[in-house]
Amino acid sequence: MRQAEERLQCVIELAADFYWEQDAEHRFAVYRPRGESDADLAAIVGKTSWELCDGPPADGGRWDRHRAVLDAHQAFRDVVHRFGAKGAAARYVSFSGQPVFDAKGAFSGYRGIGRDVTAETRADRLAHVEHVIARILSENDDVNEALRSVVRALCEYERWSAGHFWTVDEQSGALRPCVSWSHGDEGRHSVLEAGAAVPDWLGADPVFIADVAGDPRTLRPSLRVRTGWNTSLVVPILSAGALVGVLDFYAPRIAAPDPLFLRVLRAAAAELGHFFQRALTVERLRDSEERFSSTMELAAIGIAHVDDAGRFVYANPQLCEMLDYTEAELLALTVKQVSHPGDVNVTDELGDKLRSGAIKSFKMEKRYLRKDGSPIWVGLTIACKRDRTGKAVYDISVVEDISARKRAEERVQYLATHDGLTGLPNRAMFGQLLNLAIETAKRYDRRFAVLFIDLDRFKVINDTLGHEAGDVLLREMAARLRECLRASDVVARLGGDEFVLLLQEVKDSGQVSIVARNILSAVMKPVVILGQECRVTASIGVCMHPEEGQDDQAVMKNA
């Protein structure tokens, strides 16, 4: 029993934050932490999951799906429970469990492990907030609406009661109210005051005020009495090093922001600064060419004038730096010469409409090429300068480097279509490729095969050596499967230890059998994991198209 106890404790130390057991009514009966007992989680004993908190966030806060799994006495993995209120104060714990049956086969409950995934969940949610803010600022032409949407997104994430955006008057340096958002109908209440100068305590970093009534930086100490708000966060918005606005947020009581959120907040503030400056620049372009010309040299984004033949007639320093050309070199080129070959003509149609007067301006995303030939994604806002008769003189282009956002979008798209562990296409991506293969096979009277592969001893290794060892094994099996296939074939991971292969343009079942035997041989080779030599075998099911399945569902089911 001591040895069994030591082994159990070792598993908990290596694989989880705590071990748990439930009785037949799904009440937690045992909570065993890795180290010192966590008082908050120790309170789960005697209660069911649905008595403790809302349902898993992935299921919309409902328990129906998980309870169906429990009622069917099935194993489950990584079911996230959210403890505490929504927002930054929430705690997220991932539960994985297996049913337990007594000697007579009667169900007696569940047992499993739990991991605190608050940090990972918060990081994912912060990345989502960053993406939402970037999308709002890139897609919204209405400055006030975009700013209000950003304020709302940040408030809803942190569960703040209200937020405001202030502009800074360039002449007087006074604060001017711009937009606000609140959960209720509180109106605009703030530690700042309209018409007052920017406080000298506000520098380049966010300022957290824990007690708005007692803090000497508060210009309106009666704020808490009128609103019930005790805490505030004030965020400067900078563009090219200059203060252009201020964000401030309020709540009855919130903890000081953690470093991860402060990083996201600084990035959002920088995005807002660029957005605000860009909107201000475009507005000035339309109001006065003289004012616009003086602004272009100082703008934090690229600006260019392009004549009717597509030649640069003006390029500000930021654009030259962005493309790594000197001003003289850039003025000797045309827009098409610095455009990516795939995007050379993407602005032609809208450009013709702009110069004809059909539209006043347009936005476009395209790729430019730097001097060294490397591509760069840019966001363009293009308007037309006309003379007094209305004749088009040149195009005015506002150019913003959006390469970072494009990389983030590509990463999101990749994660949506690929398995994060092995890098293989996931179920959704494989479904698209399978339907494409069916259409191609019908059009050209071809045959293909689908192989459904299940690793037979994966669960033994995963349970004995831990999830980390299981992950190593899955990655190794994915690499071996890729090596067994041609470049035109596809291997995907459906989940767990299930893989599926698409063999394109096969002649007969004998050819498929050869591939299947090669796969079985490759899988059986030993793998050294955590210093131990492990072996698994595989079971393979095969379906030939069109003989054994006409559509994607039939092919997958039969395989």
Side-chain angles (χ1 to χ4, degrees):
M1 288 187 66
R2 279 197 303 271
Q3 290 177 348
E5 191 74 12
E6 289 174 358
R7 286 196 295 267
L8 174 60
Q9 189 62 36
C10 181
V11 170
I12 297 174
E13 292 286 344
L14 293 174
D17 292 327
F18 60 90
Y19 169 83
W20 57 267
E21 293 181 5
Q22 289 179 343
D23 60 22
E25 301 300 323
H26 308 306
R27 290 186 296 268
F28 286 97
V30 173
Y31 164 73
R32 182 168 179 171
R34 179 168 56 186
E36 293 185 8
S37 177
D38 187 319
D40 292 340
L41 287 179
I44 68 175
V45 175
K47 298 181 180 179
T48 63
S49 293
W50 41 92
E51 291 174 334
L52 291 165
C53 55
D54 293 338
D59 293 335
R62 297 175 59 86
W63 285 108
D64 301 3
R65 182 178 175 184
H66 183 59
R67 294 188 71 166
V69 171
L70 297 180
D71 291 341
H73 302 161
Q74 297 175 346
F76 60 87
R77 183 180 298 278
D78 297 328
V79 176
V80 177
H81 293 46
R82 185 186 64 235
F83 294 94
K86 296 179 180 178
R91 184 176 183 183
Y92 295 86
V93 180
S94 173
F95 287 79
S96 299
Q98 293 182 331
V100 179
F101 301 90
D102 62 21
K104 296 182 179 180
F107 173 72
S108 59
Y110 272 88
R111 63 188 171 203
I113 58 174
R115 295 185 301 110
D116 190 314
V117 294
T118 302
E120 300 96 306
T121 304
R122 183 161 171 76
D124 289 343
R125 294 181 68 235
L126 284 173
H128 174 71
V129 170
E130 283 188 284
H131 180 69
V132 167
I133 292 173
R135 189 179 70 247
I136 290 171
L137 298 182
S138 65
E139 297 177 354
N140 208 317
D141 294 328
D142 187 318
V143 176
N144 287 348
E145 184 58 35
L147 293 173
R148 183 177 291 106
S149 297
V150 170
V151 171
R152 176 174 182 173
L154 289 169
C155 283
E156 289 182 338
Y157 174 78
E158 282 292 290
R159 307 300 292 175
W160 285 319
S161 300
H164 315 112
F165 183 85
W166 304 74
T167 60
V168 180
D169 187 270
E170 290 183 283
Q171 300 299 323
S172 64
L175 293 168
R176 297 281 183 257
C178 183
V179 300
S180 63
W181 183 88
S182 62
H183 281 286
D185 190 24
E186 293 92 346
R188 179 181 286 278
H189 301 293
S190 173
V191 299
L192 306 175
E193 189 171 3
V198 176
D200 55 9
W201 46 262
L202 185 61
D205 294 319
V207 175
F208 178 71
I209 300 177
D211 182 5
V212 299
D215 197 297
R217 294 172 292 189
T218 303
L219 298 180
R220 306 168 75 182
S222 61
L223 177 66
R224 186 175 66 180
V225 177
R226 286 178 287 134
T227 64
W229 301 337
N230 294 283
T231 51
S232 172
L233 183 65
V234 184
V235 184
I237 305 299
L238 305 176
S239 179
L243 185 72
V244 296
V246 179
L247 279 170
D248 58 334
F249 302 97
Y250 301 91
R253 187 168 299 281
I254 56 175
D258 58 55
L260 184 60
F261 180 71
L262 283 176
R263 180 188 64 78
V264 172
L265 199 58
R266 291 188 183 98
E271 288 279 344
L272 281 171
H274 291 313
F275 172 79
F276 193 78
Q277 187 66 36
R278 181 175 73 247
L280 186 61
T281 302
V282 172
E283 181 180 346
R284 287 176 175 175
L285 282 172
R286 295 172 179 169
D287 292 342
S288 168
E289 184 174 359
E290 182 179 6
R291 293 177 61 192
F292 167 61
S293 298
S294 62
T295 302
M296 287 192 299
E297 296 296 324
L298 301 174
I301 50 180
I303 300 175
H305 292 171
V306 180
D307 67 15
D308 191 58
R311 291 187 298 267
F312 288 103
V313 295
Y314 171 80
N316 74 338
Q318 286 73 20
L319 182 61
C320 294
E321 181 179 353
M322 189 185 303
L323 300 180
D324 199 26
Y325 285 99
T326 65
E327 183 179 8
E329 289 172 336
L330 200 54
L331 295 183
L333 300 173
T334 66
V335 171
K336 291 185 182 295
Q337 286 177 309
V338 300
S339 294
H340 188 279
D343 293 347
V344 168
N345 301 315
V346 295
T347 61
D348 289 355
E349 182 178 351
L350 288 174
D352 292 339
K353 290 183 178 180
L354 178 67
R355 284 181 286 277
S356 69
I359 57 176
K360 293 183 179 180
S361 65
F362 69 90
K363 291 186 176 183
M364 174 73 67
E365 294 180 358
K366 65 176 291 186
R367 289 165 293 178
Y368 278 161
L369 294 177
R370 295 186 179 92
K371 185 177 180 179
D372 63 3
S374 60
I376 175 176
W377 272 100
V378 297
L380 299 175
T381 301
I382 302 179
C384 185
K385 170 62 180 176
R386 301 179 184 277
D387 61 18
R388 294 182 180 181
T389 66
K391 180 182 177 181
V393 180
Y394 54 80
D395 292 345
I396 303 169
S397 300
V398 179
V399 187
E400 182 181 10
D401 184 352
I402 60 171
S403 300
R405 176 167 65 80
K406 280 294 183 179
R407 288 193 293 269
E409 291 174 353
E410 290 170 0
R411 178 61 179 167
V412 170
Q413 179 62 30
Y414 177 86
L415 293 176
T417 57
H418 289 75
D419 173 47
L421 177 65
T422 63
L424 297 177
N426 60 14
R427 183 185 295 271
M429 184 65 177
F430 185 81
Q432 298 176 20
L433 297 173
L434 178 58
N435 280 302
L436 179 61
I438 292 173
E439 293 176 7
T440 303
K442 290 179 179 178
R443 184 178 298 116
Y444 299 105
D445 193 23
R446 295 172 179 171
R447 306 170 72 196
F448 66 84
V450 169
L451 282 66
F452 205 105
I453 301 175
D454 187 25
L455 303 181
D456 295 327
R457 300 185 65 250
F458 171 76
K459 186 176 184 301
V460 175
I461 294 174
N462 204 44
D463 289 348
T464 55
L465 298 182
H467 297 304
E468 181 181 357
D471 292 346
V472 172
L473 179 63
L474 290 173
R475 284 194 288 266
E476 175 62 23
M477 292 302 109
R480 292 183 183 182
L481 292 175
R482 278 194 292 257
E483 292 175 356
C484 293
L485 302 181
R486 302 166 298 181
S488 60
D489 299 331
V490 178
V491 56
R493 182 186 177 211
L494 301 185
D497 59 348
E498 293 180 341
F499 297 83
V500 62
L501 277 62
L502 173 62
L503 302 183
Q504 306 270 21
E505 298 185 44
V506 298
K507 296 179 181 179
D508 51 41
S509 59
Q511 180 184 356
V512 179
S513 297
I514 294 173
V515 176
R517 283 194 292 272
N518 289 339
I519 291 172
L520 291 175
S521 298
V523 169
M524 289 178 63
K525 294 178 181 178
V527 182
V528 177
I529 304 175
L530 301 179
Q532 297 191 37
E533 184 174 283
C534 304
R535 289 179 184 268
V536 293
T537 57
S539 300
I540 303 180
V542 181
C543 178
M544 301 287 294
H545 175 85
E547 299 94 320
E548 298 169 354
Q550 295 292 323
D551 57 28
D552 58 336
Q553 294 184 0
V555 170
M556 290 293 287
K557 178 182 177 181
N558 292 338

